[in-house]
Amino acid sequence: MKNWDTESKKDLIIKLTKSINDRNEAKYDFSSCFGAWDDERSADEIIEEIRNSRVNNREIEGF
């Protein structure tokens, strides 16, 4: 970066400062990741769909 012109260095400083400020303003609420599963199907129907969608492939791929 020592070969950069002054304007490029200032631009980098501004962008880095803005990225730090943006993170502080938009605090992420981790608890929003939790909640109940919302689906019209019953638990048994969901389990059956998962089991039926499984693929058994014993073929080993070479590099």
Side-chain angles (χ1 to χ4, degrees):
M1 291 192 317
K2 70 179 182 179
N3 295 331
W4 289 11
D5 62 295
T6 306
E7 197 61 36
S8 296
K9 290 178 183 178
K10 286 180 182 178
D11 188 43
L12 178 62
I13 291 169
I14 291 169
K15 287 180 181 179
L16 289 172
T17 304
K18 187 175 184 302
S19 72
I20 292 170
N21 290 340
D22 288 347
R23 285 191 196 133
N24 290 339
E25 292 172 6
K27 291 190 177 184
Y28 181 71
D29 183 17
F30 185 68
S31 64
S32 68
C33 296
F34 303 100
W37 181 272
D38 187 24
D39 201 330
E40 299 292 324
R41 301 171 293 172
S42 69
D44 290 331
E45 290 172 327
I46 295 171
I47 292 169
E48 183 179 351
E49 182 179 333
I50 292 171
R51 287 186 176 151
N52 290 337
S53 67
R54 291 180 180 167
V55 177
N56 187 5
N57 185 0
R58 299 225 178 234
E59 203 172 297
I60 299 173
E61 296 182 18
F63 288 105

